[in-house]
Every structure is written in structure tokens, then in C-alpha cells.
């Protein structure tokens, strides 16, 4: 329904923002904006409106200062405990302990800050995307101004190659076509006019509007500015991006939950230890040091550093597979992703219109080859067709080549179109047939043109030469009504077979192809120009060509692999429903079908669906078409409401909010806009959907290795905690001092644990379903193993500590034995953790040499700990005899054998169940 408004005497940002400009007649818009289309605004009025509405720029997001970002690195529950331990030890004048503890905290903070600084990028690309200058009409004169100086009510003039500098309601449009793919996802340039449309039309169907940052590909236009800066559609998108909250990833959630649980456990146990010691009459200082030892022992200090470094290693692995990670946690999130919402244009498809089918002279042809690269053949029944075998086909291709204002060129090794993508596709198919445009232009030089106009739906050209001829292309209805005969393959003229042509066109439409018809007319000698009366009748129908933005071949395989891995793939696009459904079927998306076709829900239908019902629709439908940016956002949120871990891919401005909202946003590196890249967590450098499958595989591998690290490191903290508790209960001296515990935790985490990051992917990693988002890091089996190994570490260290004392060793020697026992047993347990299920012979003894390098390095530094005098001063250690060292290694072998037996039993049980 077309709307009307009453003229208001005072314009305000609020009143302008509320108007559905696309549904208002042009003259009413001018009246409302209080401007003349022939004179524009006066300079005084421009100054007043600039004061009222501000400049035509978008408000950048306020960024946290570097200092605040550094302080936030300390905002973690476990770090609070370590900071408290530092303060307590300073108060007790245990300065070396305090320095070591705080050094650990500082290292964690510095690493986190450096990684965050590398990933941080201000979202200012939208401001850059606005055109630098604009042609306006002011004081009755046309002038060029800085686009930032535009105000609502300005009369803007655009032509081919210009960007719209603001949101504009068109008041004049001559053959105007606009590329809106970055904003709406529409793969074909949109034909614009000045007629108002229904108020509920989505962005892609507002044909009387020109949107900021979209590009004019053809024709000229004039319009009145109705929105500037933050009020434009692009500005609204930036606001959505800036206000969207960064979601916690599955890993950050689990580590946060684990940290809070551990916090209360540590505080509780430390309080118990303190109370027990106090009731026994221990000194306050000794009680505090024992509580600090327990806290330091139970906290996995190396975990934050290890997680950061392992994720960073995952980043480098993904970079080798064409995926650049902007945020570290995105590495792990990929591994738990169970829904990928993909934009169509440029992501699943080539973003290059391609003619795939031609019907001419009563015959039907297929065209192979994809995109603008002029390589391929025209085939009939899978056999190559030679030029000249079908007179109608030859002329049909020639008309498409010469009745054409665009061209395909090669730049830096890539083929691109200069002009309209549809016309580019027509040139490519003619070149596949062997036609040379320069040669044909010489034989049939163009003399006159009737440009495409929405009212007539066709374009015609007059060509001179030995025999002047008129070529015409356009919609089937516009072309066929001007034709009286049809050309057959042998060159004869017959009556037009409307039923057959409609059948061929229906077949193309069912395949999602955009259809253009072609005709010609022999001109009278001496004809110099043409008009619509010249082409009104008497033309000869040649045939039709069907084109589409085709799916990437590699995307088809990638979608198959993702679905095989239990990941749902959904297409969310601004393109038309029929095209989207056809592409989705060709790609092989799963989803609800009707009459053998995938069901596509349109943006208009989504407007009628509430948020609760949308969750069900989003779950079962795989194709969403003519979708606006805010609807993409709604779909992502609906899927997340069902506890899905959602990855969103895209390359356009319109994808920005959804990329930001998704658990992981994936932008295209080549065709992607800066807005999409800045909103994304990951950028594909090759714009290849198949790289996502590789990234998911790497993400799963990273999480596997992180899990191995956690399963390896937690028993150490458990064993250390048990040692401290037992010592308190028995009233004995601490077998391991707080600084010795820090030595164990930090050195083993870096030198031993991090080597697990280099473990190769285990077989069948993409055959298993995604991890449930609510599944804990440690399963029941892994918890049992953690308890088993923690108990073994406790028994070995505590037992050898007392054994050495019984054998006459000093307390420092016994403590050194206990410390070294923890280190050596961790090294042997590391070999067990190379795979959490499979024995070493299946994964290969030497498939990860870094493990052995790490063990060698750890033993070297532990030797320094034992024998270097300066280490004795720092950590209170003491030299050991060869027999003491042999007893420690014997305990390590025993642990390795016990865990290997436990793994083998569980592995066999799992195989029987599966």
C-alpha cells in the first residue's frame, strides 16, 4: 500500500527516521523535505540542517584504552588468588616467593595483552566505504562537495561508477542500475525507478531507493537525501556491530566455569588447612604459608599461558590452510560448531554470472565453464557444438556480444567484468563459441543504441556494414511481442512456437536461471538511427539464454563434508527465493522439501514470524531468501537460542551484524568488504568455502590437544593439593614448598605440556558429530583417569619424601626428591596423553618428535634445579645421589605402565560399545 504524509514545518532526526520513504510518492517526499528538485537547498538552509543533523559520518565505536585492556588481563578468578598469595607472602617477608608468584601472574597478563592487541581492529571501514565526494544541486547550481557535508534534503546526482553518498529517495532515474550485492546479497545489478513501493518491502525490493555505499553500474539518477551518517541503512548495520556483545565461546565458558569451581574449592580447602593448623597451635606465619602452598599447588598456573600458546599455534596451522584467525578463541570454537549459516553470493557461489543454458533454433544447449574466464564449450547432448551448425544459435550469441555495453577483462591474472555482470556473462559465452568481439565490431560497427529502460524492458543496437541490422535483447515478454517469425537452425524462418519457448524458459526458471531473450531485424539501407518505433514489430526471434551465479565446485564438496561431520549448513541470502533454492539444491544442502524442491523462506515471511516460532523455522529450513541484515541477525540468534554453536560466513556489508553476533564470524578475504572482515573472527584468504571445512578440522584438532593438555596437567595440581593436605593432617613439614610448586607447574606446562599442541590429527576426526556445547571438557572417563593419576603422583612423591627422610636425607634433599618425582612422573604421563584413547603404537611412536625434545629440555632444567647452586638459593633445592634419581625414574615407569593398562581396558570397552 502506498503511503502519504502531511507536510511538517519542522524537520527533526526523529521525524525523518520514522518515515517509510520508499512507500511515499516522490513529490510528497520533496514536499516533506521542504526542497525543490530544480533548485536544491540554499546555503543558509544547509548550514541550519548541518547544525541540526550533524555531518554525514558514522559514529565510531568507543575503544577501551590500552591500559584498561592490560588491567583486564588480571580479571580472572584464579589470578585473584595468586595476587592475594603475592600480597600475603610480601606481608610475611617471603620476598622470593612473592616475586616468583607475581612473575607468573605478570607473564600470563603480558601474553594475553599482546595477543589481544594483535587481534584488535577498530570497526571504521563503514566510514571509509562512503564516497569521498558527491554531486549535489544547491542554490540552483550543480556542484561537487565532500560527501560528509551532505544533509537531509540535499538533491544528489549520480551516474555510472558513482557510489551513493547517503540514503536517497530517487526522483529521477534514467536506465539506472545499481550493484547492491554488498548490502543485500543480490547478485545482479538492480534496475531502479521512481515509483513508490509497499511499505513492508525488504531492502532488496525498494526499487525507488539508493542506499549509501552501493554502486551505480549503469545510467543516471537524481534523488533527495533522506538519511545520513548513522541514520543510513549502512549506519544502522554499524550500530548493530558496535553494540553487539562478544559471545563467550564454548572453551571460554568451560574454563570460566572450571575456574569458578576451582576458586571455591581452593578457598575452602585453604580455610580448612588454616583452621587445622591454628587449632594445633601452629604460628600464624606458618599457617599462612601452608595455605599459600595449597592455593599455589591447586591452581594450574600454566593453563592460561598454555591455552593461549596452543591456540596461537592453531592460528598458524589454519593460516597455512588459507584461514586467518583474528581472535584466538575462534580456533577452538570452530571445532564445536554445529551450524554454519552461509551467505550465497561470493561465498557458496562464484559471484560471477555465467550462462549455463541456451535455447535457439528449436534446440537446447548446455554451456560448461564457470565465471568470467572465457574457457569452456557449448554442448548438445554432451557433444561440443561447432560454430555455424545452427544459424539461430550463432546469431543469438552474436546479439548477446554486440548488443552489450560491458566487457570482460583480465587484471592481475583474474577475469573481471567492467559494467553489468549479466552482460559480462553474454560476452563470455560468445567467446566460448569462438567469437572475437573486436573483429565483429569491425564487421558490424555500432551506429546507434536504444538503452535499456525499465518501461520497455529491452536494449537495442543498430549496426552498419554491408547489411545493416538491428540487434535486440531483453525480457522474454518484451522481445517476443515484437517478433513475427523465428529463425531455425538451418536459417529458415517459421512461425513462433510459443508453447515450446515457454517450456524451455520454464525449464531454465526451475533451475534458478535468469532468462534473457534475443532477436534481430534486417534494417533498411541508409538507416542511421533507431527509436522505439523502429523496434515495435517485425523482428525475428532467435532464442533465449539462461544464466546464474553458479556454485563453487569446491563448495559442493565442502558442504558434503560438513554435513557428514554433523554440521548443518544453511543459506541466508538477499537473493530471490527461486534462485537461492536452485543453488542450494545444486550444492546439496539438507532441509525441508516440498514437491522435490528445498523450501525457501523469504524475508517478507520472516516478518510475520515471532521469535519463538522462528526458532522452529530456523531449525528445519535451510534456505532463507530476500533477507535483510536485521533478519540475518534474528536467524543467528534463533539458532543460538536452541543451544547451537553458530558460524556465519559472508562478505558483504549486510553480513556485518550477523558475523558479529555469531559464535564465530567468517569473512571472505578477496571479495569481502572491510566491514565484514572487521566484524569477523576469521578471514578466508582464498574466499573458498572449502577452507572452512579444513578450518573446522583444525579446530577439532586444537580442542583435542587442549583436552589432552588439561587431562595431563590437572593430576599434577590434584597431587600437589593432596600432598599439602596430608602434610597438614599429619602435622609434618611440607614435602614441596610453594616456590617449588610454582617451578613444577610453570616449567612442565611450557616444556612438556605445550608439546601436545604438535600432536597430529587423529583418524576419523571429521566422522564424529560436533561436541555438544554443554558437554564438559572432562568426561566421566577422563575424570576417573585424572583421579587415578593424581593419586599415583601423590603416593609416589609423598612416599619417596618420607622414604628419603627415613634413609637419613635432609629435609631439603627430601623436598627436592618430592619435587623431582612430580616432574619425572609428569614426563612419563605425557607419553600416555599423546592420545586419550589409542595406544602409542597406533598414533606412531615418533609422529610427534616435539614430545621427546620437550622431555629432554625438562630433564636438563630439572638437573639445574637439582645441582646448580643459584637454583638452591632460589628454590631451596639440594643435590641428589644417583640411587635417589633411579628410584624416581622407577616410579615414573610404574605410572606409565598402570595408565597404559587403564587406557587399553577403556579402549576395548569403547570398541565393543561402538
Amino acid at each position: 500500500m502506498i503511503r502519504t504524509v502531511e507536510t511538517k514545518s519542522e524537520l527533526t532526526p526523529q521525524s525523518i527516521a520514522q518515515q517509510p520513504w520508499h512507500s511515499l510518492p516522490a513529490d510528497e517526499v520533496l514536499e516533506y523535505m521542504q526542497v525543490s528538485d530544480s533548485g536544491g537547498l540554499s546555503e543558509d538552509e544547509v548550514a541550519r540542517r548541518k547544525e541540526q543533523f550533524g555531518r554525514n559520518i558514522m559514529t565510531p565505536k568507543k575503544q577501551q584504552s590500552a591500559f584498561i585492556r592490560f588491567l583486564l588481563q588480571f580479571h580472572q578468578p584464579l589470578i585473584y588468588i595468586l595476587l592475594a598469595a603475592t600480597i600475603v607472602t610480601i606481608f610475611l617477608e617471603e620476598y622470593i616467593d612473592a616475586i616468583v608468584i607475581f612473575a607468573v601472574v605478570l607473564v600470563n597478563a603480558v601474553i594475553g595483552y599482546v595477543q589481544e592487541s594483535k587481534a584488535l581492529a577498530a570497526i571504521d571501514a563503514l566510514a571509509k566505504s562512503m564516497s569521498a565526494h558527491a554531486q549535489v544541486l544547491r542554490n540552483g547550481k550543480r556542484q561537487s562537495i565532500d560527501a560528509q557535508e551532505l544533509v537531509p534534503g540535499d538533491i544528489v546526482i549520480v551516474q555510472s561508477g558513482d557510489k551513493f553518498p547517503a540514503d536517497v529517495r530517487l526522483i529521477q532515474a534514467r536506465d539506472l542500475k545499481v550493484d547492491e550485492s554488498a548490502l543485500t546479497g543480490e547478485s545482479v545489478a538492480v534496475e531502479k525507478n521512481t515509483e513508490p513501493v509497499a511499505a513492508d518491502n525488504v531492502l532488496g525490493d525498494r526499487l525507488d531507493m539508493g542506499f549509501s555505499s552501493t554502486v551505480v553500474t549503469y545510467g543516471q539518477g537524481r534523488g533527495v537525501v533522506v538519511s545520513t551518517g548513522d541514520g543510513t541503512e549502512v549506519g544502522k548495520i554499524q550500530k548493530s556491530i558496535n553494540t553487539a556483545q562478544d559471545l563467550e565461546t564454548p572453551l571460554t565458558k568451560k574454563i570460566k566455569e572450571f575456574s569458578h569451581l576451582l576458586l571455591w574449592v581452593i578457598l575452602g580447602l585453604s580455610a580448612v588447612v588454616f583452621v587445622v593448623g591454628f587449632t594445633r597451635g601452629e604460628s600464624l606465619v606458618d599457617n599462612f604459608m601452608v595455605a599459600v602452598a595449597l592455593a599455589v599447588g591447586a591452581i594450574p598456573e600454566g593453563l592460561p599461558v598454555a591455552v593461549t600458546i596452543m591456540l596461537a599455534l592453531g592460528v598458524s596451522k589454519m593460516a597455512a590452510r588459507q584461514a586467518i584467525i583474528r581472535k584466538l578463541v575462534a580456533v577452538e570454537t570452530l571445532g564445536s560448531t554445529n551450524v554454519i549459516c552461509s551467505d550465497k553470493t561470493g561465498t557458496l557461489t562464484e559471484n560471477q554470472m555465467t550462462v549455463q543454458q541456451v535455447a535457439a533454433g528449436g534446440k537446447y544447449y548446455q554451456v560448461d565453464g564457470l565465471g568470467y574466464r572465457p574457457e569452456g564449450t557449448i554442448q548438445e547432448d554432451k557433444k561440443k557444438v561447432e560454430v555455424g551448425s545452427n544459424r539461430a544459435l550463432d546469431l543469438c550469441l552474436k546479439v548477446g556480444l554486440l548488443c552489450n555495453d560491458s566487457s570482460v577483462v583480465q587484471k592481475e591474472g583474474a577475469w573481471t567484468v567492467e559494467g553489468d555482470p549479466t552482460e559480462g556473462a553474454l560476452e563470455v559465452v560468445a567467446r566460448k563459441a569462438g567469437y572475437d568481439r573486436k573483429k565483429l565490431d569491425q564487421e558490424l560497427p555500432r551506429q546507434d543504441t536504444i538503452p535499456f529502460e525499465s518501461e520497455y524492458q529491452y536494449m537495442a543496437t543498430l549496426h552498419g556494414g554491408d547489411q545493416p541490422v538491428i540487434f535486440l535483447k531483453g525480457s522474454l515478454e518484451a522481445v517476443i511481442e515484437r517478433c513475427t517469425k523465428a529463425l531455425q537452425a538451418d536459417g529458415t524462418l517459421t512461425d513462433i512456437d510459443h508453447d515450446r519457448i515457454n517450456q524451455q524458459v520454464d525449464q531454465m526458471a526451475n533451475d534458478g536461471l535468469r532468462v534473457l531473450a534475443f532477436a534481430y531485424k534486417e534494417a533498411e539501407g541508409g538507416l542511421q538511427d533507431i527509436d522505439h518505433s523502429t523496434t515495435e514489430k517485425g523482428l525475428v526471434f532467435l532464442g533465449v539464454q539462461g544464466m546464474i551465479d553458479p556454485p563453487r565446485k569446491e563448495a559442493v564438496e565442502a558442504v558434503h563434508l560438513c554435513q557428514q561431520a554433523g554440521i548443518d549448513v544453511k543459506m541466508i541470502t538477499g537473493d530471490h527465493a527461486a534462485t537461492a533454492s536452485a543453488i542450494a539444491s545444486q550444492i546439496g544442502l539438507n532441509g525441508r522439501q516440498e514437491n522435490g524442491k528445498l523450501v525457501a523462506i523469504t524475508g517478507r515471511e520472516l516478518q510475520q514470524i515471532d521469535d519463538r516460532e522462528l526458532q522452529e523455522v530456523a531449525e528445519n529450513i535451510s534456505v532463507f531468501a530476500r533477507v535483510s541484515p536485521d533478519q540475518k541477525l534474528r536467524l543467528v540468534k534463533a539458532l543460538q537460542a536452541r543451544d547451537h554453536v553458530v558460524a556465519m560466513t559472508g562478505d558483504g556489508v549486510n553480513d556485518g551484524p550477523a558475523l558479529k553476533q555469531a559464535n564465530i564470524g567468517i569473512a571472505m578475504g578477496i571479495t569481502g568488504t572491510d566491514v565484514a572482515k572487521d566484524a569477523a573472527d576469521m578471514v578466508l584468504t582464498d574466499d573458498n568455502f572449502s577452507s572452512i571445512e579444513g578450518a573446522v578440522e583444525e579446530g577439532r584438532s586444537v580442542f583435542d590437544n587442549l583436552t589432552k593438555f588439561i587431562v595431563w596437567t590437572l593430576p599434577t595440581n590434584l597431587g600437589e593439593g593432596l600432598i599439602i593436605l596430608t602434610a597438614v593432617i599429619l602435622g609434618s613439614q611440607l614435602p614441596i614448598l610453594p616456590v617449588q610448586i610454582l617451578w613444577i607447574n610453570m616449567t612442565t606446562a611450557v616444556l612438556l605440556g605445550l608439546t601436545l599442541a604438535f600432536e597430529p590429527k587423529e583418524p576419523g576426526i571429521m566422522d564424529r558429530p560436533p561436541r555438544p556445547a554443554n558437554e564438559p571438557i572432562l568426561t566421566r572417563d577422563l575424570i576417573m583417569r585424572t583421579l587415578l593419576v593424581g593419586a599415583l603422583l601423590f603416593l609416589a612423591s609423598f612416599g619417596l619424601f618420607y622414604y628419603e627422610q627415613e634413609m637419613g636425607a635432609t629435609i631439603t634433599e627430601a623436598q627436592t626428591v618430592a619435587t623431582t618425582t612430580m616432574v619425572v612422573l609428569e614426563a612419563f604421563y605425557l607419553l600416555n596423553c599423546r592420545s586419550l584413547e589409542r595406544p602409542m603404537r597406533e598414533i606412531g611412536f615418533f609422529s610427534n618428535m616435539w614430545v621427546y625434545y620437550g622431555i629432554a629440555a625438562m630433564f636438563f632444567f630439572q638437573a639445574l634445579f637439582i645441582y646448580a647452586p643459584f637454583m638452591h638459593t632460589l628454590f631451596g633445592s639440594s643435590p641428589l645421589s644417583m640411587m635417589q634419581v633411579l628410584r624416581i625414574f622407577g616410579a615414573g615407569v610404574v605410572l606409565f605402565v598402570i595408565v597404559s593398562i587403564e587406557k587399553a581396558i577403556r579402549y576395548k570397552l569403547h570398541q565393543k560399545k561402538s
Side-chain angles (χ1 to χ4, degrees):
M1 184 179 73
I2 307 306
R3 307 275 299 271
T4 60
V5 295
E6 296 179 2
T7 304
K8 296 184 178 181
S9 57
E10 183 67 26
L11 294 175
T12 66
Q14 293 75 22
S15 67
I16 287 180
Q18 293 171 356
Q19 296 303 322
W21 300 111
H22 55 281
S23 67
L24 302 176
D27 56 349
E28 290 191 18
V29 174
L30 290 168
E31 183 180 355
Y32 189 91
M33 298 301 292
Q34 302 171 22
V35 64
S36 162
D37 64 335
S38 59
L41 298 173
S42 66
E43 292 299 336
D44 290 342
E45 183 63 18
V46 168
R48 190 187 69 80
R49 294 192 184 191
K50 192 180 296 181
E51 180 75 22
Q52 185 176 16
F53 295 99
R55 303 181 75 197
N56 181 32
I57 56 175
M58 284 172 281
T59 306
K61 182 179 180 179
K62 186 177 180 180
Q63 300 292 331
Q64 290 176 327
S65 68
F67 181 66
I68 294 297
R69 284 190 283 114
F70 179 72
L71 289 181
L72 287 175
Q73 305 303 318
F74 297 91
H75 184 50
Q76 302 176 43
L78 300 184
I79 298 298
Y80 290 155
I81 296 178
L82 292 178
L83 288 173
T86 302
I87 294 171
V88 169
T89 50
I90 291 174
F91 178 75
L92 299 176
E93 298 183 356
E94 300 288 342
Y95 298 119
I96 293 179
D97 290 34
I99 291 170
V100 174
I101 294 172
F102 184 71
V104 170
V105 174
L106 192 62
V107 167
N108 275 324
V110 169
I111 291 176
Y113 173 78
V114 169
Q115 291 295 341
E116 184 177 327
S117 296
K118 287 180 180 179
L120 193 66
I123 304 174
D124 60 354
L126 283 164
K128 297 176 185 175
S129 71
M130 299 184 74
S131 57
H133 291 85
Q135 295 289 324
V136 298
L137 199 64
R138 288 181 177 175
N139 291 324
K141 297 179 181 179
R142 179 169 175 168
Q143 52 187 287
S144 177
I145 65 168
D146 188 326
Q148 295 184 359
E149 304 303 317
L150 282 174
V151 296
D154 260 324
I155 302 298
V156 172
I157 302 165
V158 293
Q159 60 187 4
S160 181
D162 290 344
K163 274 187 181 180
F164 276 99
D167 283 1
V168 171
R169 171 59 166 92
L170 295 171
I171 54 178
Q172 290 180 23
R174 177 173 173 81
D175 312 327
L176 186 63
K177 293 184 181 181
V178 180
D179 179 2
E180 296 182 338
S181 59
L183 182 65
T184 67
E186 174 73 68
S187 56
V188 178
V190 181
E191 300 166 11
K192 295 291 186 175
N193 58 51
T194 61
E195 296 301 315
V197 297
D200 61 353
N201 274 22
V202 296
L203 285 181
D205 294 331
R206 298 177 185 177
L207 304 181
D208 56 343
M209 296 289 296
F211 297 108
S212 176
S213 81
T214 60
V215 181
V216 177
T217 62
Y218 193 85
Q220 302 90 35
R222 178 180 294 198
V224 57
V225 173
V226 293
S227 296
T228 58
D230 292 335
T232 63
E233 294 298 330
V234 177
K236 294 173 185 175
I237 290 174
Q238 181 179 9
K239 187 175 181 180
S240 298
I241 296 173
N242 287 347
T243 57
Q245 294 183 347
D246 290 326
L247 297 179
E248 289 184 319
T249 70
L251 179 66
T252 54
K253 280 183 180 179
K254 290 168 185 173
I255 289 182
K256 184 177 180 181
E257 291 167 0
F258 171 74
S259 298
H260 279 98
L261 174 63
L262 195 58
L263 170 66
W264 292 111
V265 170
I266 291 169
L267 290 176
L269 289 176
S270 297
V272 169
V273 167
F274 185 82
V275 171
V276 170
F278 185 77
T279 57
R280 288 187 169 179
E282 301 284 349
S283 69
L284 189 64
V285 171
D286 289 342
N287 274 341
F288 266 122
M289 289 309 297
V290 171
V292 168
L294 178 62
V296 170
I299 293 174
E301 293 89 356
L303 182 59
V305 173
V307 168
T308 299
I309 294 176
M310 291 182 83
L311 290 176
L313 289 172
V315 168
S316 64
K317 287 181 181 179
M318 290 186 180
R321 302 188 70 163
Q322 313 304 321
I324 302 300
I325 302 296
R326 295 183 66 248
K327 300 175 184 176
L328 280 182
V329 289
V331 175
E332 180 276 330
T333 309
L334 275 167
S336 55
T337 296
N338 52 22
V339 177
I340 297 176
C341 296
S342 177
D343 183 43
K344 176 185 73 68
T345 306
T347 307
L348 290 169
T349 65
E350 297 281 355
N351 198 18
Q352 297 184 349
M353 292 297 290
T354 306
V355 174
Q356 291 191 331
Q357 299 175 24
V358 182
K363 296 188 176 184
Y364 208 86
Y365 301 95
Q366 291 76 41
V367 184
D368 64 9
L370 297 176
Y372 296 134
R373 183 178 294 276
E375 296 176 1
T377 58
I378 300 174
Q379 302 175 352
E380 182 183 12
D381 297 329
K382 298 184 179 180
K383 294 181 181 179
K384 182 179 178 181
V385 175
E386 298 297 331
V387 176
S389 61
N390 182 334
R391 175 65 175 158
L393 173 64
D394 295 344
L395 265 178
C396 184
L397 297 175
K398 283 183 180 180
V399 172
L401 182 60
L402 296 180
C403 186
N404 190 324
D405 287 328
S406 303
S407 61
V408 175
V409 296
Q410 190 174 20
K411 294 181 178 179
E412 299 179 356
W415 289 90
T416 59
V417 63
E418 293 184 344
D420 186 89
T422 298
E423 292 190 326
L426 297 177
E427 176 177 338
V428 171
V429 70
R431 291 176 67 170
K432 288 177 180 178
Y435 288 111
D436 185 308
R437 186 167 189 169
K438 289 184 179 179
K439 185 176 179 182
L440 287 177
D441 279 336
Q442 291 173 355
E443 295 176 0
L444 297 169
R446 186 190 295 193
Q447 293 183 333
D448 197 18
T449 303
I450 301 177
F452 179 91
E453 294 181 49
S454 300
E455 179 182 354
Y456 293 97
Q457 291 293 307
Y458 73 84
M459 171 184 177
T461 53
L462 171 64
H463 298 266
D466 297 335
Q467 186 177 352
V469 63
I470 297 171
F471 290 159
L472 185 142
K473 76 170 192 293
S475 69
L476 177 65
E477 296 78 10
V479 173
I480 207 165
E481 72 179 9
R482 289 169 169 78
C483 297
T484 54
K485 294 290 182 179
L487 185 67
Q488 298 303 306
D490 59 3
T492 59
L493 297 179
T494 63
D495 291 335
I496 299 173
D497 187 343
H498 290 275
D499 292 338
R500 183 177 179 83
I501 293 171
N502 288 331
Q503 183 182 2
Q504 292 170 334
V505 170
D506 288 343
Q507 181 177 334
M508 291 182 181
N510 287 335
D511 291 335
L513 303 184
R514 182 172 186 241
V515 179
L516 284 180
F518 302 84
Y520 82 103
K521 178 181 181 180
E522 293 182 357
E524 300 175 1
L527 186 64
Q528 296 296 318
D529 52 52
I530 55 175
D531 55 27
H532 291 297
S533 63
T534 316
T535 57
E536 189 174 6
K537 59 184 178 179
L539 276 82
V540 177
F541 185 79
L542 296 172
V544 293
Q545 297 186 36
M547 63 194 70
I548 198 170
D549 179 13
R552 296 174 180 264
K553 286 183 179 179
E554 58 271 24
V556 176
E557 177 64 19
V559 167
H560 171 71
L561 289 173
C562 287
Q563 292 178 158
Q564 178 179 295
I567 302 170
D568 287 334
V569 181
K570 299 181 184 295
M571 178 190 292
I572 304 179
T573 178
D575 217 335
H576 294 280
T579 303
S581 180
I583 290 291
S585 297
Q586 292 177 34
I587 289 172
L589 293 190
N590 296 329
R592 199 172 80 199
Q593 296 189 355
E594 291 180 4
N595 301 320
K597 293 184 178 181
L598 283 170
V599 174
I601 298 294
T602 66
R604 185 169 289 185
E605 291 171 312
L606 287 177
Q607 288 177 339
Q608 313 303 320
I609 299 175
D610 61 34
D611 290 342
R612 183 176 295 275
E613 185 183 352
L614 183 61
Q615 292 181 23
E616 185 70 25
V617 171
E619 187 80 29
N620 298 313
I621 300 298
S622 61
V623 184
F624 299 88
R626 306 304 281 170
V627 175
S628 63
D630 62 311
Q631 290 171 336
K632 288 189 177 187
L633 201 59
R634 283 188 68 205
L635 284 167
V636 172
K637 288 180 178 179
L639 289 165
Q640 289 171 334
R642 289 289 185 99
D643 294 325
H644 288 299
V645 178
V646 182
M648 169 75 189
T649 75
D651 60 354
V653 174
N654 61 323
D655 297 320
L659 287 171
K660 186 73 173 178
Q661 174 64 34
N663 299 89
I664 177 165
I666 306 170
M668 302 297 112
I670 299 174
T671 59
T673 60
D674 288 341
V675 176
K677 293 173 189 175
D678 283 344
D681 304 293
M682 183 174 88
V683 178
L684 301 183
T685 60
D686 60 353
D687 283 17
N688 196 331
F689 186 89
S690 64
S691 295
I692 297 172
E693 185 274 331
V696 169
E697 191 174 322
E698 290 294 344
R700 290 187 174 191
S701 177
V702 167
F703 187 82
D704 281 356
N705 291 342
L706 275 172
T707 304
K708 292 172 187 176
F709 175 84
I710 292 170
V711 170
W712 170 80
T713 196
L714 287 185
T716 306
N717 303 107
L718 175 60
E720 291 165 347
L722 288 173
I723 288 170
I724 303 300
L725 278 174
T726 305
V728 170
I729 293 171
L730 296 178
S732 68
Q733 287 184 295
L734 293 179
I736 306 178
L737 298 175
V739 289
Q740 293 171 341
I741 289 174
L742 280 175
W743 166 262
I744 295 169
N745 291 356
M746 289 304 296
T747 56
T748 58
V750 174
L751 296 176
L752 297 180
L754 284 181
T755 63
L756 293 172
F758 299 97
E759 283 297 326
K761 293 182 285 291
E762 296 193 23
I765 196 170
M766 288 299 286
D767 293 332
R768 66 194 190 205
R771 278 187 337 275
N774 58 357
E775 181 181 275
I777 295 177
L778 297 182
T779 61
R780 179 179 174 276
D781 287 350
L782 295 181
I783 290 174
M784 295 302 294
R785 184 177 301 164
T786 299
L787 294 175
L788 169 65
V789 177
L792 292 173
L793 289 170
F794 159 69
L795 290 173
S797 294
F798 202 84
L800 286 175
F801 171 75
Y802 272 97
Y803 176 79
E804 295 299 334
Q805 284 188 308
E806 290 294 323
M807 295 297 290
T810 65
I811 185 64
T812 56
E813 284 181 328
Q815 288 172 334
T816 304
V817 166
T819 302
T820 306
T821 300
M822 293 293 290
V823 170
V824 171
L825 266 61
E826 281 192 74
F828 277 97
Y829 181 46
L830 182 71
L831 299 175
N832 295 117
C833 289
R834 289 190 57 206
S835 174
L836 298 179
E837 293 184 351
R838 292 178 169 82
M840 280 185 65
R841 66 177 181 274
E842 286 194 20
I843 62 174
F845 287 96
F846 304 107
S847 58
N848 180 11
M849 290 302 296
W850 285 102
V851 167
Y852 302 105
Y853 300 150
I855 291 174
M858 186 67 246
F859 286 170
F860 170 77
F861 282 103
Q862 190 62 27
L864 288 179
F865 177 89
I866 297 170
Y867 299 109
F870 75 92
M871 298 294 274
H872 301 164
T873 303
L874 285 174
F875 294 99
S877 56
S878 178
L880 301 179
S881 68
M882 182 59 67
M883 284 305 299
Q884 289 172 318
V885 172
L886 288 176
R887 281 193 289 271
I888 292 170
F889 272 85
V893 172
V894 171
L895 180 141
F896 177 77
V897 172
I898 292 174
V899 176
S900 296
I901 294 171
E902 183 266 348
K903 277 178 61 179
I905 293 172
R906 292 193 186 277
Y907 186 48
K908 288 182 179 179
L909 290 175
H910 286 166
Q911 284 186 320
K912 287 182 180 179
K913 289 180 181 179
S914 59

